[in-house]
Amino acid sequence: MFRRSAPHRHGTLALAGVTLAGLLTAATPALAAQDRASDPVNAAFAEAADAYQVPRDLLVAVGYGETRLNDHDGAPSHARGYGVMHLVDNPGHRTLDAAAEATGLDAAELRTDTAANIEGGAAVLRAYADALGLTAPDRADLDAWYPVVARYGGAEQDATARLYADTVYELLADGLSAVVGGEETVTVDPTTVAPERGEYAGADIGALSEDYPPALWAPAHSANFATGRTEAIDTVVIHVTQGSYAGSIAWFQNPDAQVSAHYTIRSSDGEVTQSVRDRDTAWHARSGNPYSIGIEHEGWVDEPSWFTDAMYRSSAALTRHLADKHGIPLDRQHIVGHVEVPGNDHTDPGPHWDWDYYMELVGGDPGDPGEPGPPALDFPAYDTLRDGSTGAQVTALQYLLNQNGQNAGTVDGQFGPSTAAAVRGFQTAKGLDADGVVGPRTWTALLSAGATTTVREGSSGEAVSRLQRALTAALGRTVDVDGQFGPNTGAAVKEYQADRGLDADGVVGPATWGALQSGR
């Protein structure tokens, strides 16, 4: 989305004691001639670069390194970064606020409007340049901007800041081309660079020798993982970062993140960085954390272009190493996606991840990869789903339909014709209105399906978990799913029984199970 062509509204930005006000001029007439209608992103980069005296190619390379110039319809990254320039709003890094102050633009506009977002990124880069004392001749020198770029990434550690800035300068050296909006192409021609690293010259990420020698080592903050393990390692979990490689590593170093992964893999060349030791518990998959190792892959689940052959091969080599080291079976019960770990609500690695190819590279049998574990089934509420719905709850729906004899097709989180047909088949079998829409009654019947073992207060196990999920759907309020039939579950059972005209004794026997499994 692009905002109207309007005069820049420059505000005031103070960074490190430097004030940016009354300093910037409007775009030149030559830039005004750029065709905003047919080339809006190129025009936005040209105008922002001219107004804030930031090299245009540097501005593009920073954005491409963060997002490949995709605004993701205003959705935030894992680190709460927005737009093609990844303006960030998290406790440790607030370039979105800085951009709003510098430009006078509203934060909502900076988040969702591409031209505004690019202007905001340029304003922040210029403010950092002023804070670092870059003069007008310095600003004309691409190599002098290296420390500015390093700061823009928001890394807590100098070594990670260098990793971030090096990526941008590699893009400048190699050149880049990105198709945006389906038809416009933004390019940067290759150029010779000799970045002036300054304070970052001695900040280097050394090779890791303890766990996986080919990897770099950039430790996560101690607030973002637990020392040691409570269970043996028997699973590898495949993730997608929903953000950039260096940005994700930097986020793991932010004590406010409360997340981490053991390894992160770069899209362009398969470079690997380790952030948490194998022997420690990274926080990446909720219930799966104690027994798994998490591997993040740079990119976004809805953009298959991030999943390069270099990334697949590098990741597979790492997974094979981990399997050999920890005795992990090479099958899809033990090499799983984040979406397949019970108790999670994420969808990664998503429908574009090529599991057959990956398992072939790992060394498993692609013709007989085994069945993955069940996806996340536990949610605080169950949404109404229909054709066109996507996400973790659709994945759960598809899994349950397949488990109950209906062919929903591939469990991919996409509610299409196959899923709709399976829903109608299940509804018909249960005597429900066969409209293909999954509301409370269909959810209740699906979630409760299974053995009708009598359970009561003090019971535990899989049947209790099924009961708790079904009650959440039936009552329209959260019943915690922990597999333990305690007083809260008992109260929910009695509420359900009373509402359905059953004997409200808190005991779930054939009558109560029958009501649940018929979607009452």
Side-chain angles (χ1 to χ4, degrees), residues 446-458:
L446 265 174
L447 293 164
S448 62
T452 56
T453 307
T454 298
V455 292
R456 53 174 55 84
E457 192 160 347

Side-chain angles (χ1 to χ4, degrees), residues 452-478:
T452 56
T453 307
T454 298
V455 292
R456 53 174 55 84
E457 192 160 347
S459 299
S460 62
E462 184 270 341
V464 176
S465 295
R466 282 192 288 117
L467 169 67
Q468 291 165 330
R469 296 184 195 109
L471 289 170
T472 296
L475 297 176
R477 65 175 180 81
T478 303

Side-chain angles (χ1 to χ4, degrees), residues 387-399:
D387 196 1
S389 297
T390 62
Q393 292 199 20
V394 176
T395 300
L397 169 67
Q398 293 167 325
Y399 172 81

